[in-house]
Amino acid sequence: MKRTTILSAAAMLALSSQQSLAADISVEVQNLTHGLYFTPIAAVIHTPDVSLFEVGEAASTELQMMAEGGSIDGITTVATAASADMIANPAGGLLAPTMSASGDVMTTDGNVMLSVVAMVLPSNDGFVGLDNWEIPTEAGTYTVFLNAYDAGTEANDELRGSGAPGMPGMPVPPPLEPLLGTGGSGVAGADTNATVHIHRGNIGDDSLTDGVSDVDNAVHRWLNPVAKVTVTVR
C-alpha cells in the first residue's frame, strides 16, 4: 500500500524556513583541462527564479559579454539586481590549467541556488557553466563536474581577435600569446547554433604560422567535463 505523508501547516512552514535559511559556504573551482585557461570566475548564489543561462535558449547580453570577452561586469550587474550573493574572480585573474581558486560567502536568506560561469580560453564564445544547482541544507562537502558550453553568439572560427562582444575572433591575453598561432584562415563549418549548447571543443591544427586555426590542436583541445566545483556547507 502506498503511504501518504501529510504535513501540518506548521511543519511545512518550518521545513520551508529551514530550506531558505542563510548558509555559510565555500565554493572552489578547479580547472581540469590540460591547456585551457578560465577567465575571472563568477559564482552566484541566488533565488530559484534567477538564471544566468539556459541551455537551448539565446544568451543574454551579459552572458555574451562574459563568453566572448571574459568580462563578468554584466553578470555582476545581474547578480546585484537580483539581490544575489556572489564570489567574484576568486583566482584574481585567469585560472590556469589544473589550478584551483575558492571563496567564502555567507548567503542571504532565500538564496539557495548556485550558478558558476567563466570564459574558456582559447575559444570564441566558450564558457564553463553550472546552472541553478540547489545548495544542500545539510553540512558537508559536495562535488559537481562542469561542462563547457557554447554561448551561440559567435562563429567558432578559432582566429585571434579583440574579444569584444559582437566582434569576431578570440581574445589572447598575455599567458596565451606565445601558445597560439597566427595567420589562420578560419575553421570551416563553424557552429551556427544560435542558442546556448554543449561546446564541440576546439578543432585546431598543427601550424603556428598558417593553417585553418590559430589554436594548437596538441594543447587546446578538450573533452568534457572541464571543471570541478567543490561546495562546502558549514
Side-chain angles (χ1 to χ4, degrees):
M1 177 181 293
K2 183 177 179 180
R3 177 179 296 177
T4 302
T5 301
I6 300 176
L7 294 178
S8 67
M12 292 179 65
L13 179 60
L15 180 60
S16 176
S17 298
Q18 180 183 16
Q19 291 176 336
S20 63
L21 288 177
D24 179 13
I25 70 169
S26 68
V27 179
E28 179 184 76
V29 180
Q30 181 182 6
N31 183 339
L32 297 179
T33 72
H34 166 69
L36 304 177
Y37 288 77
F38 299 161
T39 60
I41 297 162
V44 182
I45 301 93
H46 54 83
T47 56
D49 60 336
V50 174
S51 289
L52 299 187
F53 67 96
E54 293 284 352
V55 176
E57 296 187 8
S60 66
T61 299
E62 294 80 10
L63 186 74
Q64 179 182 9
M65 184 187 304
M66 181 280 304
E68 291 189 21
S71 172
I72 58 173
D73 290 347
I75 299 295
T76 301
T77 299
V78 169
T80 301
S83 299
D85 303 299
M86 183 172 174
I87 299 171
N89 193 16
L94 300 184
L95 185 65
T98 76
M99 301 303 291
S100 300
S102 63
D104 300 319
V105 65
M106 178 64 75
T107 66
T108 305
D109 189 12
N111 288 341
V112 296
M113 312 299 288
L114 172 65
S115 295
V116 178
V117 292
M119 184 185 183
V120 171
L121 289 176
S123 76
N124 289 86
D125 60 342
F127 68 98
V128 56
L130 175 65
D131 178 42
N132 287 39
W133 182 77
E134 186 171 4
I135 300 169
T137 57
E138 184 175 349
T141 300
Y142 304 87
T143 300
V144 188
F145 290 92
L146 275 55
N147 291 326
Y149 293 90
D150 189 315
T153 57
E154 181 179 323
N156 296 323
D157 61 11
E158 299 182 16
L159 300 179
R160 290 170 176 259
S162 68
M167 299 296 291
M170 308 176 296
V172 186
L176 279 85
E177 177 61 38
L179 304 177
L180 293 184
T182 58
S185 61
V187 173
D191 198 338
T192 57
N193 188 337
T195 64
V196 177
H197 57 282
I198 292 292
H199 204 292
R200 71 179 186 189
N202 286 327
I203 302 299
D205 60 29
D206 59 2
S207 173
L208 292 178
T209 57
D210 49 29
V212 297
S213 173
D214 291 336
V215 171
D216 187 336
N217 64 9
V219 178
H220 301 126
R221 300 191 72 167
W222 77 78
L223 295 173
N224 282 319
V226 296
K228 181 174 75 172
V229 170
T230 303
V231 178
T232 302
V233 180
R234 301 181 183 88

